[in-house]
Amino acid sequence: MSEQPSYTPPRVWTWEKESGGEFAKINRPVAGATHEKELPVGEHPLQLYSLATPNGVKVTVMLEELLALGIKGAEYDAYPIRITEGDQFCSGFVGVNPNSKIPALVDRSENPPVRVFESGSILLYLAEKFDAFLPADRARRTEAMNWLFWQMGSGPMLGGGFGHFYNYAPEKLEYPIDRFTMEVKRQLDVLDKQLAEQPFVAGDEYTIADMAIWPWYGILVRGALYGAAEFLQVHTYENVCRWADQIALRPAVQRGRMVNRTWGDPEEQLHERHDASDFETKTQDKLAAVLGHS
């Protein structure tokens, strides 16, 4: 690997150019709205504004799992927030999440409506609202919360750290790739040892901890994140692989991965979700077929 020139930081940093590779246009050093635009509102109690990134998938999986239990209050409308086009900086979205990150949820069954942002906060809100996927026993509940917050703290090392420098950065740099590879492999080892003793991350029950961790680490070991499966030798984490494959078989997980997905196979893309029947009639392949016959 060729040597990179050293960088000496200036005394005061100034924002003079975009940076961040593929996602450069979503990065800026200030908060707030860049343009006025209201968010759409559907007919269901819950309004989700998201994208099928790992953080977005956490919430759509949770909502689909709640609906699979027959909890009608969990019906939702899901609208895509196209982050590469700057949707997250419109005034409507900033009003729901001042941090301009997906996912964001509005619970319109409450008066006044309640905004919920940050994926972990949304999972916890829904679990408490519907009394599901979070144990009632204090010790078991705490263990699930331990692992929920483990993901919230560890995920940036995998995504913004390893994923960025290994996959998205305009230049491949040895130091950050090595640094974050070591950390991600350590995290996988933590999970592997935990899952050696039990079927799910927090014990015998499937909880919001699994829903938070799977879209990142489960997808990673299944070879669908950053093209890094061989590089990280993910097959060596056998317990994580077993757990990831087990969760991938859940119908609600399969549906949740499709919601607000705007890339990949057309049959796996459901840009907006307003009804359970949308999975059968409004994926991109079905919409294209209708347009082709019109």
Side-chain angles (χ1 to χ4, degrees):
M1 186 176 293
S2 61
E3 284 192 21
Q4 299 292 328
S6 61
Y7 168 66
T8 302
R11 290 180 63 86
V12 177
W13 183 86
T14 57
W15 186 31
E16 297 177 347
K17 60 183 179 180
E18 292 180 345
S19 63
E22 182 176 338
F23 294 102
K25 292 187 181 300
I26 75 171
N27 297 323
R28 59 193 184 108
V30 293
T34 60
H35 59 286
E36 292 294 319
K37 183 180 179 182
E38 292 301 311
L39 293 173
V41 177
E43 65 180 28
H44 294 307
L46 302 175
Q47 300 295 300
L48 178 67
Y49 306 98
S50 191
L51 198 66
T53 65
N55 284 335
V57 168
K58 296 176 191 177
V59 177
T60 48
V61 164
M62 174 63 161
L63 289 166
E64 291 297 327
E65 292 281 13
L66 290 168
L67 291 171
L69 291 179
I71 299 174
K72 294 181 179 180
E75 269 293 355
Y76 69 105
D77 296 282
Y79 295 95
I81 297 297
R82 292 174 169 84
I83 58 176
T84 57
E85 298 176 20
D87 289 354
Q88 71 275 32
F89 299 124
C90 78
S91 57
F93 190 85
V94 172
V96 178
N97 184 358
N99 195 39
S100 291
K101 302 290 184 182
I102 63 96
L105 180 78
V106 177
D107 183 355
R108 299 178 69 86
S109 71
E110 301 289 337
N111 187 18
V114 173
R115 73 177 187 183
V116 197
F117 60 88
E118 292 296 330
S119 58
S121 179
I122 297 173
L123 291 178
L124 181 57
Y125 178 85
L126 293 172
E128 291 183 336
K129 180 180 179 73
F130 297 113
D131 191 23
F133 301 113
L134 189 60
D137 173 79
R138 181 179 297 176
R140 289 160 53 226
R141 174 189 170 91
T142 299
E143 183 68 359
M145 297 294 287
N146 290 340
W147 287 100
L148 173 65
F149 285 101
W150 177 88
Q151 190 283 314
M152 301 299 290
S154 299
M157 292 287 192
L158 171 54
F162 174 79
H164 177 76
F165 286 104
Y166 180 79
N167 194 57
Y168 297 121
E171 297 177 83
K172 296 291 188 285
L173 303 175
E174 184 176 10
Y175 172 77
I177 290 175
D178 280 355
R179 166 70 180 87
F180 290 111
T181 296
M182 283 191 290
E183 177 60 14
V184 169
K185 288 183 72 67
R186 188 193 68 81
Q187 292 172 359
L188 286 169
D189 199 35
V190 169
L191 279 178
D192 202 62
K193 288 178 167 60
Q194 178 71 3
L195 288 162
E197 305 298 328
Q198 54 207 21
F200 299 106
V201 173
D204 293 334
E205 292 182 63
Y206 175 60
T207 70
I208 57 174
D210 299 284
M211 296 179 202
I213 295 168
W214 186 86
W216 284 104
Y217 298 88
I219 295 297
L220 179 68
V221 300
R222 285 173 60 81
L225 192 63
Y226 308 133
E230 181 179 9
F231 181 76
L232 294 171
Q233 291 289 280
V234 297
H235 68 278
T236 62
Y237 303 98
E238 295 180 359
N239 299 307
V240 182
C241 290
R242 181 266 308 160
W243 164 83
D245 290 344
Q246 177 184 359
I247 290 179
L249 293 174
R250 297 179 70 92
V253 172
Q254 295 168 9
R255 291 192 298 272
R257 288 199 68 197
M258 297 169 63
V259 178
N260 296 147
R261 189 174 183 86
T262 60
W263 62 91
D265 294 336
E267 63 268 23
E268 295 180 355
Q269 295 183 38
L270 183 62
H271 291 190
E272 292 189 10
R273 188 270 188 210
H274 303 287
D275 187 82
S277 64
D278 292 347
F279 293 99
E280 302 299 327
T281 62
K282 294 185 179 178
T283 53
Q284 285 304 108
D285 60 318
K286 302 289 176 45
L287 294 178
V290 171
L291 290 172
H293 287 91
S294 61

